[in-house]
Amino acid sequence: MTQSALTSLLQKSPEEQKARGYFHTAGEIASQPEVWRKTGVLVHAALPGLSAFLSGTRRLLLSGAGTSHYVSLSLQPLLSGFFDCVEAIASTEIVVDPESALPREPFVLVSFARSGESPESNAVISLAERLRPGLVKQLAVTCNREGALVHLVESLGGRGFVLTLPEESNDSGLAMTSSFSSLCIAGAALAYLDKAEEYDKLVERFASLGGSMIDRASDLGSRLASEDFERAFFVASRPFLGGAFEARLKVQELTAGTIIGSTEDSLGFRHGPLAAVNDRSLIVVFLSSDARRRRYELDLLGEIRGKRLGKRLVAASSDVSGLSGLADFVLDFGANGLGGAVPDSLLSVFVGVTGQLIGLFASLGCGLRPDEPSPDGVISRVVHGVRIYPENEER
């Protein structure tokens, strides 16, 4: 059996991997299925306490910065079916305009974070405490037990709850990879507070499909790496649109902006963004397994194909039936794992992983080092230099 492009990279010696600058990123992408299983074990153990903490909760505000915000966007459609109101607002937005962002009725602020050191996300904890006293409880979901976020939320006593993910999810590479997918899987537990066995089966479904899906996506990324793209468009429907934002960010981050990315919803793509597609563009359309949504997505694929837009067109789905001839490449997420295909409400995990692998091989194709693709230090693993201004400071 032919080995995948990712496996080929990882079979190089650690010294060569480090010399080429992909040692952390490639390994962390490949390790995700096992990290998901470890995440599931930790979350399962925490479910009784988490359920008690959230008892009576009607409103959630999901927050984070950068990729962590895309975790929030990925989970909002799922969780809206289990709480009266679920909003996803980036911590970077809340800091700038907290009065319009923070609810004026009881709510739980759910903060997602890899390092727990983001200045904006940690500032939101304090802002919520100061501006909405008596209304807010705080839940932190983080990959770093030693981060400042953990200490902030633990200091709240009974009004705070910390869910810490496995150490392996705290990526060493610049780009959030295993952390993104693990935070999504952990956050999904909020929809399974009293259904631990169902949650366990969901996690196993991800893990059982994940290894082969990662191999197929790595082969796709390797094939696309030599295409000399300058733009990449990621198109998805609402239940997994957050994953498309993350896929776009991964390609843009890992290529240090050599490839500029864009994300749109399936119907919104025609409303202006289509005009930006040129002959050096990659278009990736993620398709639903829901028949109603899929009709719209297939129509869009047919229009792009008929107009001969872009340099390469990719279709990705858990259901690849009827896609032959509509795209240059078809990526099958797989539907043979425990319980069938991954549901649309959590497809963002596989959508985001697709962007990770396209970004990894595009970065190498650009002659960059994926572990640190920005040689001038424009971006870094943890954002620094953000000044948080007091709310009462004169303007």
Side-chain angles (χ1 to χ4, degrees), residues 198-215:
E198 287 186 35
Y199 177 72
D200 293 345
K201 290 179 180 178
L202 178 73
V203 174
E204 182 56 35
R205 191 187 311 176
F206 272 104
S208 64
L209 291 171
S212 58
M213 178 267 157
I214 287 171
D215 284 343

Side-chain angles (χ1 to χ4, degrees), residues 355-375:
Q356 294 170 12
L357 286 155
I358 293 175
L360 169 67
F361 285 96
S363 180
L364 291 169
C366 292
L368 298 172
R369 300 168 56 84
D371 288 347
E372 44 182 1
S374 182

Side-chain angles (χ1 to χ4, degrees), residues 85-108:
C85 180
V86 182
E87 297 175 283
I89 305 178
S91 58
T92 50
E93 296 180 43
I94 297 175
V95 166
V96 174
D97 188 12
E99 285 296 345
S100 73
L102 296 173
R104 296 181 180 275
E105 59 186 52
F107 69 103
V108 173

Side-chain angles (χ1 to χ4, degrees), residues 74-280:
S74 298
L75 291 169
Q76 192 274 338
L78 169 69
L79 299 182
S80 65
F82 297 88
F83 297 87
D84 289 349
C85 180
V86 182
E87 297 175 283
I89 305 178
S91 58
T92 50
E93 296 180 43
I94 297 175
V95 166
V96 174
D97 188 12
E99 285 296 345
S100 73
L102 296 173
R104 296 181 180 275
E105 59 186 52
F107 69 103
V108 173
L109 174 63
V110 185
S111 298
F112 295 101
R114 173 172 66 174
S115 69
E117 299 292 349
S118 165
E120 301 96 336
S121 294
N122 292 348
V124 167
I125 303 293
S126 301
L127 280 169
E129 291 296 314
R130 187 165 66 252
L131 298 178
R132 300 294 185 264
L135 296 180
V136 62
K137 294 169 68 176
Q138 310 258 9
L139 168 61
V141 186
T142 178
C143 304
N144 182 18
R145 176 68 201 173
E146 302 304 320
L149 176 65
V150 170
H151 302 297
L152 281 170
V153 174
E154 285 185 337
S155 71
L156 301 175
R159 291 189 302 102
F161 191 99
V162 175
L163 183 56
T164 307
L165 305 194
E167 183 179 350
E168 297 93 330
S169 68
N170 188 14
D171 312 302
S172 295
L174 177 138
M176 288 179 66
T177 54
S178 178
S179 51
F180 167 77
S181 58
S182 298
L183 286 166
C184 284
I185 286 172
L190 301 186
Y192 294 85
L193 293 173
D194 57 351
K195 296 176 286 188
E197 289 187 6
E198 287 186 35
Y199 177 72
D200 293 345
K201 290 179 180 178
L202 178 73
V203 174
E204 182 56 35
R205 191 187 311 176
F206 272 104
S208 64
L209 291 171
S212 58
M213 178 267 157
I214 287 171
D215 284 343
R216 289 190 293 273
S218 77
D219 290 342
L220 172 66
S222 179
R223 293 181 70 178
L224 294 173
S226 61
E227 295 281 358
D228 193 29
F229 297 114
E230 64 179 19
R231 302 176 188 181
F233 297 83
F234 295 92
V235 184
S237 298
R238 172 173 164 73
F240 40 93
L241 184 60
F245 277 106
E246 174 61 8
R248 180 267 302 170
L249 179 61
K250 287 292 92 75
V251 171
Q252 195 160 286
E253 276 184 323
L254 289 170
T255 64
T258 301
I259 299 175
I260 298 299
S262 178
T263 301
E264 278 296 334
D265 69 273
S266 301
L267 289 180
F269 194 44
R270 295 182 177 93
H271 289 260
L274 206 58
V277 176
N278 64 10
D279 59 5
R280 291 182 63 191

